[in-house]
Amino acid sequence: MLLLALVLLAGWLAQLGQGASYPQFLRQHVDNPKTRARDDRTYCNMMMRRRGMASPCKRTNTFVHAPARQLQDICGRAGRRAGRNLHNSNNRYRITTCRLARGSTRPPCSYRGGSSTRRIRVACVRRLPVHYDRTL
């Protein structure tokens, strides 16, 4: 029993050490429905500040405009395994990718953005997405 508790504790601590958590994934990557903005540049500048990713300036971030439940399903039947804990989505999702504008390395950060509909890859822990890996 003690051994099981130690194994579970080690796994939990490893997860924390990587900063991988479902609430953090939601904060950094899910915006559904998409917050209104005049254009993608305005959207990115606003959302990166609101979600706490503009101090220090995060180089790139992708927001997915889909219900959290659909994104959870990528870790199950709506995705295909692509590595140890990586899963590729079967479906395409509306996304906005925000990239730090050239020359903007310190706050106030300036972002440029682009919208598209693409498949995505996420890392999953206990059937929940905890890391946005890439756009496919």
Side-chain angles (χ1 to χ4, degrees):
M1 191 63 149
L2 179 61
L3 180 61
L4 177 62
L6 289 174
V7 169
L8 292 174
L9 179 62
W12 181 73
L13 289 174
Q15 181 181 339
L16 283 179
Q18 295 173 344
S21 75
Y22 179 62
Q24 180 180 356
F25 175 84
L26 293 175
R27 178 181 60 81
Q28 289 185 344
H29 299 292
V30 180
D31 181 39
N32 187 65
K34 183 177 181 180
T35 301
R36 287 181 179 256
R38 179 180 52 219
D39 54 34
D40 284 339
R41 185 188 62 78
T42 304
Y43 172 84
C44 286
N45 285 316
M46 175 179 61
M47 291 301 293
M48 293 298 284
R49 273 194 311 276
R50 274 190 190 172
R51 300 291 178 94
M53 294 180 284
S55 184
C57 302
K58 185 175 179 184
R59 175 174 261 125
T60 302
N61 191 69
T62 300
F63 291 100
V64 184
H65 312 297
R69 182 72 207 152
Q70 285 182 19
L71 300 178
Q72 288 174 14
D73 287 344
I74 296 171
C75 299
R77 69 182 183 278
R80 280 191 302 272
R81 187 160 242 162
R84 187 171 173 197
N85 67 336
L86 298 174
H87 295 259
N88 293 340
S89 68
N90 295 334
N91 300 317
R92 294 162 42 116
Y93 296 94
R94 288 181 45 242
I95 62 171
T96 302
T97 300
C98 303
R99 289 187 174 83
L100 194 59
R102 189 180 228 150
S104 179
T105 57
R106 290 183 287 173
C109 311
S110 179
Y111 290 91
R112 54 189 171 84
S115 295
S116 60
T117 302
R118 305 279 297 273
R119 291 176 49 237
I120 64 174
R121 176 179 291 166
V122 297
C124 301
V125 173
R126 295 187 187 96
R127 300 182 65 87
L128 292 173
V130 295
H131 170 75
Y132 186 96
D133 186 65
R134 66 174 17 168
T135 301
L136 302 172

